[in-house]
Amino acid sequence: MVFEVTQSLTITTNGFQTSIKTKFEVEFLVLEKSGERRIYGIRKAKVATIPISDNNYLQIAEELEWQTYPIEIETDLNGNFIKMLNHKKWLKNLEQVTQSVIEQFDNSENVKEIRSKYLQTAKNEEDFIQSKFKEPYWNLLFFNPPIDHENNPDIGTKLNWDIKSVGNIECFGRTKIKNPTSRDIIIHFESQQ
């Protein structure tokens, strides 16, 4: 499966806002199906960045994010996330490929510090996965809600959504299939929160 995602990031520094809008594709590949588990590879490919930001911090953060892919994960049969695979091997590769980010920004001490903090989070698998689930598209990749039927009472579908300025919010609502006869199905989640 390939998902097209548009993401916007805004940083306010000393009252001035800088934004960067990125369009990318997330590829979700089945690598192995066995028993009760599934192994997936997740790849991320940039389509466009609009505009190219003058803010080096945004550019560095975006570059480091690209370098975290590909990632291999394990889920249960229902698609619920279990764990990341080969974390130590992945981390060693991440340390090597992010070196190019430092070189790209002329061996800046500031960039070295940002990379160091980024790698510190990546070293702890649990912290790294928690940071990934703060990204909206990761929430959606593993959002496997039960479908509410019109004649049944609300079964209370729950989605944990991380809103950067507020934190983690539990949203309760109903999930419906918008176009059940179509080849490409649209699942619609509605919440009042």
Side-chain angles (χ1 to χ4, degrees):
M1 296 181 283
V2 177
F3 302 92
E4 185 176 282
V5 179
T6 302
Q7 178 173 284
S8 179
L9 178 63
T10 303
I11 290 182
T12 304
T13 308
N14 299 329
F16 295 100
Q17 282 192 342
T18 306
S19 296
I20 190 167
K21 192 173 189 176
T22 307
K23 187 180 269 190
F24 55 89
E25 292 179 347
V26 177
E27 190 174 7
F28 209 65
L29 304 166
V30 178
L31 301 177
E32 184 182 318
K33 286 183 180 183
S34 62
E36 305 264 328
R37 311 281 181 195
R38 300 287 183 261
I39 306 295
Y40 293 97
I42 303 174
R43 296 186 183 162
K44 186 175 174 183
K46 189 185 307 190
V47 176
T49 300
I50 311 158
I52 303 289
S53 175
D54 293 342
N55 185 321
N56 277 353
Y57 179 79
L58 289 177
Q59 292 176 345
I60 295 160
E62 185 180 72
E63 252 339 285
L64 291 170
E65 168 66 16
W66 292 117
Q67 302 295 341
T68 63
Y69 291 90
I71 298 172
E72 290 183 2
I73 59 147
E74 182 178 344
T75 72
D76 64 16
L77 287 177
N78 296 321
N80 297 306
F81 181 86
I82 295 175
K83 66 179 181 176
M84 180 178 173
L85 299 176
N86 304 315
H87 179 261
K88 287 181 181 177
K89 179 180 174 187
W90 168 86
L91 182 61
K92 187 175 181 179
N93 183 60
L94 182 66
E95 289 171 345
Q96 291 173 352
V97 297
T98 57
Q99 186 63 37
S100 67
V101 176
I102 293 173
E103 293 162 8
Q104 181 181 341
F105 290 90
D106 300 322
N107 290 315
S108 160
E109 289 303 315
N110 190 28
V111 176
K112 288 178 184 177
E113 185 179 330
I114 293 167
R115 176 184 174 258
S116 176
K117 288 179 181 176
Y118 199 85
L119 289 175
Q120 193 61 39
T121 299
K123 283 180 184 175
N124 182 308
E125 182 178 345
E126 189 174 311
D127 290 348
F128 176 72
I129 293 301
Q130 282 180 349
S131 75
K132 283 298 181 196
F133 273 99
K134 289 182 179 182
E135 298 297 330
Y137 68 94
W138 268 69
N139 272 307
L140 295 174
L141 283 175
F142 301 102
F143 182 47
N144 298 306
I147 304 299
D148 288 306
H149 299 285
E150 281 185 37
N151 299 329
N152 293 345
D154 184 358
I155 57 177
T157 302
K158 180 177 85 170
L159 172 64
N160 288 317
W161 199 261
D162 189 82
I163 300 171
K164 293 208 185 280
S165 60
V166 178
N168 197 32
I169 303 289
E170 284 187 340
C171 299
F172 291 92
R174 295 184 69 99
T175 306
K176 301 172 185 167
I177 296 178
K178 286 289 219 185
N179 55 346
T181 58
S182 176
R183 182 177 165 264
D184 296 324
I185 295 175
I186 297 173
I187 298 175
H188 178 80
F189 174 74
E190 187 174 298
S191 173
Q192 296 301 314
Q193 274 127 319

